[in-house]
Amino acid sequence: MADDKGTLLPRILVIDDELAIRRFLHTILSNEEFALHEAEGGHSGLAAAAAFRPDVILLDLGLPDLDGIEVIRRIREWSQVPIIVLSVREREDDKVAALDAGADDYLTKPFGVGELLARIRAALRRTLQQAAEPVFTSGGLTLDLNLRRVTVNGAEVPLTPTEYDLLRLLVSHAGKVLTHSQILKQIWGIAYQEQPHVLRVNISNLRRKIEADPARPRHIVTEPGVGYRLKVME
């Protein structure tokens, strides 16, 4: 779908069985010039994802016909479209399960409109970044994947091989929440999945090198009890 000037609008698929939520999202997202498609169940949502080819999916977990976690797994069998979960489920276990299944982000209902729009924009920027040249830039932080070079405000920052691999993983999923187990498995292997202290130490070391104030990090954001997210900034 395009606007009056012929510009293609970002496509958002909302999968939620609550009519009130769909109407609310339709109002705020239409005002932000997104092209919207709605589905009220898991099966219809899967069909819409294949037919509508959205740029971002907003997904409720408590669907009447198919659990949202299963919807995520099925979509991930063929697509890497960003999936943002919008759910009343507040337990850390639910958040971790959704993220481990392949969700990119998780917001608990009720959520702020500003935060939702920021998460959607971050997901869209991440998709564009992956399709672009292998140089990532955000808020003064730059990672050149070809040169394996990291700079902060133009000054080169020396990283250990492990710190570089950790930053590269976060950059490759910028804007997306990665769980502790996902990061540990990718960087250190399956044997380290139950050793979160290894991750905490390396995150702390990395923050000291790339953050202006490691105690109040701007780049590597902690998602309490879940994992970490590299924040995408202008």
Side-chain angles (χ1 to χ4, degrees):
M1 185 179 296
D3 60 14
D4 295 337
K5 299 179 181 178
T7 303
L8 290 177
L9 301 177
R11 301 179 303 277
I12 309 292
L13 171 60
V14 177
I15 307 176
D16 197 307
D17 64 321
E18 291 187 48
L19 179 58
I21 290 292
R22 295 202 309 274
R23 285 177 173 170
F24 170 70
L25 292 173
H26 184 276
T27 299
I28 63 173
L29 295 177
S30 295
N31 289 338
E32 294 294 325
E33 297 190 341
F34 291 114
L36 230 62
H37 191 88
E38 301 174 16
E40 60 183 29
H43 291 295
S44 60
L46 290 170
F52 184 59
R53 294 288 176 169
D55 296 301
V56 176
I57 294 176
L58 304 181
L59 172 69
D60 182 29
L61 295 183
L63 300 173
D65 58 343
L66 194 65
D67 188 75
I69 301 294
E70 182 60 23
V71 173
I72 296 170
R73 292 195 182 104
R74 294 193 188 185
I75 290 174
R76 284 293 173 255
E77 291 176 357
W78 59 273
S79 174
Q80 291 303 310
V81 58
I83 300 174
I84 301 176
V85 171
L86 307 178
S87 177
V88 295
R89 301 179 188 177
E90 298 181 339
R91 297 194 322 161
E92 290 179 3
D93 289 350
D94 292 318
K95 296 179 182 179
V96 170
L99 294 165
D100 278 342
D104 293 77
D105 213 337
Y106 195 112
L107 282 176
T108 303
K109 297 177 181 177
F111 48 82
V113 172
E115 183 174 13
L116 172 62
L117 294 175
R119 300 292 180 96
I120 292 174
R121 289 193 294 268
L124 292 171
R125 283 196 298 269
R126 180 172 63 83
T127 301
L128 291 173
Q129 188 75 43
Q130 289 174 341
E133 59 191 39
V135 176
F136 173 86
T137 300
S138 174
L141 171 68
T142 299
L143 171 60
D144 188 318
L145 294 169
N146 281 333
L147 299 178
R148 292 179 62 90
R149 183 170 181 263
V150 178
T151 61
V152 175
N153 297 324
E156 187 164 359
V157 178
L159 301 181
T160 67
T162 298
E163 290 167 354
Y164 176 82
D165 288 344
L166 180 56
L167 180 60
R168 182 180 61 181
L169 177 64
L170 291 168
V171 163
S172 68
H173 297 85
K176 174 180 178 178
V177 181
L178 293 178
T179 65
H180 299 125
S181 62
Q182 285 174 326
I183 300 173
L184 287 165
K185 181 179 179 181
Q186 289 290 322
I187 302 299
W188 288 277
I190 296 176
Y192 284 82
Q193 281 187 282
E194 302 302 323
Q195 300 188 39
H197 66 281
V198 174
L199 176 57
R200 285 196 298 270
V201 169
N202 280 272
I203 288 289
S204 177
N205 292 339
L206 185 55
R207 280 173 168 164
R208 280 200 293 269
K209 294 182 178 181
I210 69 170
E211 301 282 3
D213 183 356
R216 297 178 178 83
R218 297 172 61 243
H219 298 291
I220 302 176
V221 179
T222 299
E223 298 288 347
V226 179
Y228 299 96
R229 171 170 54 89
L230 188 76
K231 188 174 181 180
V232 182
M233 297 175 282
E234 298 296 337

